[in-house]
Amino acid sequence: MAELSTIARPYAEAVFKLAKQGNNFADWSKMLEFTSAISADATMQSMIGDPNVQSTDLEKTFLAVCEGKLNDDGKRMVRVLIDNNRLGVLPAIRDQYELLKAAEQGEVEALVETAMPLNDTQVSDLVSMLKKRFKKEVRAKVTVNAGLIGGVKVTVGDVVIDASVRGRLDQMATTLKQ
């Protein structure tokens, strides 16, 4: 998976630069979302992976499906990806672009794992605490992971805050083994 993100990074950074210059972050988000969905389609995947399909035919087909959804820069991006055999990387490019955009706009995404479902008030309180800690707007994605036994585990970028019972038990086991 790391290899895919390494391949996608320079494309995402180039798209981000274009979006920043044109101040059209939302337009690029829509274009990347649309093209990612098309590239992930099973029929399109078979075309992308077929060595008998010429790049010109792939370009015509892909851009025909995108008719009216891409601006000139978006069309150029698709052509570059096709020329470099990277069209299948579009979902990873989209994901990295969205991370760059969020950072530019002062947002972070928090992946929150809880042992039991949280109500809206609990999520709101948790988001408020994370805003204070990271000094940025926080978008929380909450999932339930019964394996945590109790508590919560929050991942924001490279930072992991593990306040779960499972995390504490694992920490205690590590300490006892030393």
Side-chain angles (χ1 to χ4, degrees):
M1 200 61 153
E3 183 181 326
L4 188 60
S5 64
T6 302
I7 292 168
R9 185 173 298 114
Y11 295 104
E13 289 172 352
V15 167
F16 176 76
K17 211 179 265 189
L18 284 171
K20 190 171 181 177
Q21 287 171 353
N23 195 25
N24 56 353
F25 291 108
D27 291 343
W28 273 104
S29 288
K30 289 176 189 172
M31 288 189 290
L32 287 169
E33 185 65 37
F34 187 77
T35 55
S36 294
I38 291 170
S39 73
D41 177 73
T43 305
M44 189 58 69
Q45 280 289 311
S46 65
M47 272 190 85
I48 292 169
D50 188 345
N52 296 320
V53 175
Q54 298 294 318
S55 61
T56 54
D57 294 334
L58 180 59
E59 180 182 323
K60 285 177 189 174
T61 303
F62 198 91
L63 291 177
V65 174
C66 294
E67 188 64 38
K69 300 285 188 181
L70 302 178
N71 63 20
D72 290 340
D73 287 333
K75 290 174 186 175
R76 275 193 285 283
M77 174 198 64
V78 168
R79 287 183 187 109
V80 167
L81 292 173
I82 290 171
D83 289 345
N84 292 306
N85 295 320
R86 299 290 191 226
L87 200 56
V89 183
L90 266 165
I93 293 170
R94 178 208 53 221
D95 293 346
Q96 289 198 15
Y97 168 79
E98 290 299 329
L99 290 173
L100 291 168
K101 181 180 97 172
E104 174 73 15
Q105 296 173 341
E107 298 176 355
V108 293
E109 182 174 273
L111 303 174
V112 179
E113 293 179 79
T114 64
M116 297 182 304
L118 299 179
N119 63 37
D120 292 341
T121 304
Q122 291 170 319
V123 172
S124 178
D125 291 346
L126 182 60
V127 167
S128 293
M129 287 188 283
L130 292 171
K131 281 182 184 179
K132 287 178 187 173
R133 166 112 188 234
F134 292 99
K135 295 178 177 60
K136 293 184 177 192
E137 284 299 311
V138 176
R139 289 179 289 141
K141 287 189 177 178
V142 181
T143 59
V144 175
N145 178 354
L148 295 179
I149 303 171
V152 64
K153 181 177 178 182
V154 179
T155 305
V156 178
D158 294 337
V159 178
V160 177
I161 303 167
D162 192 348
S164 68
V165 173
R166 169 61 53 208
R168 290 181 183 166
L169 288 172
D170 290 345
Q171 186 179 29
M172 189 183 305
T174 302
T175 302
L176 289 172
K177 289 179 184 177
Q178 293 177 356

